[in-house]
Amino acid sequence: MNKKQIRAHIFATIIGKVEEQDEDRRLEALNEFMAVTGTAGNASEQVASLIPPIMHELYEKWITLFIDRLLETVDAKNIELLCDGSDDNNAALVLAYVMFLESGRMEKQIDEDLRQHGMKGTGQDDMGDVAASYLRAQMAKIAQQMGDDELKGNC
């Protein structure tokens, strides 16, 4: 597998999980997230509806940054082992991506990108902070679900 194929596989694996949610599921998950974190008080549904979906181009950018960093720091032969298409290895890739999003460097990048796209600092409440926290929580949830599904399959 060459680097182009590795890139394509990792990108497809992660973007597939990111785009899996439809708008109703996104709003429901945002509402649940804000209710649990106490972010929105009694108006969590209303606030959830005010947060726009993260633009596809931002996901593409962040996934590409992840792939670039992975290829910089890990030998391509080791990465190739993760690109066999198995559920375990796909879950590992998503989990690595979630961990990458939680890095200090990416927290700053996400903050900057959300601000550039008008999702931060535009209103009384900083919806971009909620969106960034929600994004990390959803990716962690996806990684957890992938791991849980794999555990069920192995029993």
Side-chain angles (χ1 to χ4, degrees):
M1 189 174 246
N2 62 37
K3 281 190 178 185
K4 186 176 181 178
Q5 292 168 319
I6 288 172
R7 284 180 166 283
H9 174 79
I10 295 171
F11 188 88
T13 298
I14 296 171
I15 200 74
K17 286 296 170 188
V18 168
E19 293 181 336
E20 207 169 66
Q21 295 204 10
D22 62 16
E23 182 63 10
D24 288 338
R25 287 178 63 189
R26 185 187 76 81
L27 289 174
E28 180 182 334
L30 259 172
N31 184 31
E32 288 174 10
F33 174 76
M34 287 186 286
V36 168
T37 60
T39 303
N42 294 333
S44 61
E45 282 184 34
Q46 185 176 14
V47 174
S49 69
L50 296 174
I51 298 174
I54 304 294
M55 298 173 70
H56 183 79
E57 67 190 58
L58 290 180
Y59 285 123
E60 288 180 355
K61 177 181 180 177
W62 299 335
I63 293 167
T64 300
L65 288 171
F66 166 68
I67 295 169
D68 290 345
R69 187 69 179 139
L70 188 64
L71 289 170
E72 288 173 9
T73 57
V74 179
D75 184 78
K77 290 184 187 223
N78 293 333
I79 298 170
E80 187 177 351
L81 295 173
L82 287 173
C83 294
D84 67 1
S86 71
D87 290 341
D88 282 344
N89 286 334
N90 287 346
L93 287 170
V94 172
L95 180 58
Y97 176 67
V98 170
M99 291 171 24
F100 175 75
L101 289 179
E102 292 176 345
S103 70
R105 172 183 167 204
M106 278 308 295
E107 286 188 2
K108 289 177 187 174
Q109 183 68 55
I110 290 168
D111 187 60
E112 180 182 314
D113 290 342
L114 292 175
R115 187 169 279 111
Q116 284 179 348
H117 287 278
M119 294 180 69
K120 286 188 69 75
T122 57
Q124 246 180 333
D125 298 319
D126 197 352
M127 291 297 113
D129 287 337
V130 175
S133 296
Y134 165 74
L135 173 71
R136 285 190 277 286
Q138 281 304 104
M139 289 307 299
K141 185 176 175 181
I142 288 168
Q144 177 66 42
Q145 287 172 342
M146 289 179 75
D148 290 348
D149 290 347
E150 189 54 36
L151 285 174
K152 290 176 189 173
N154 288 333
C155 293

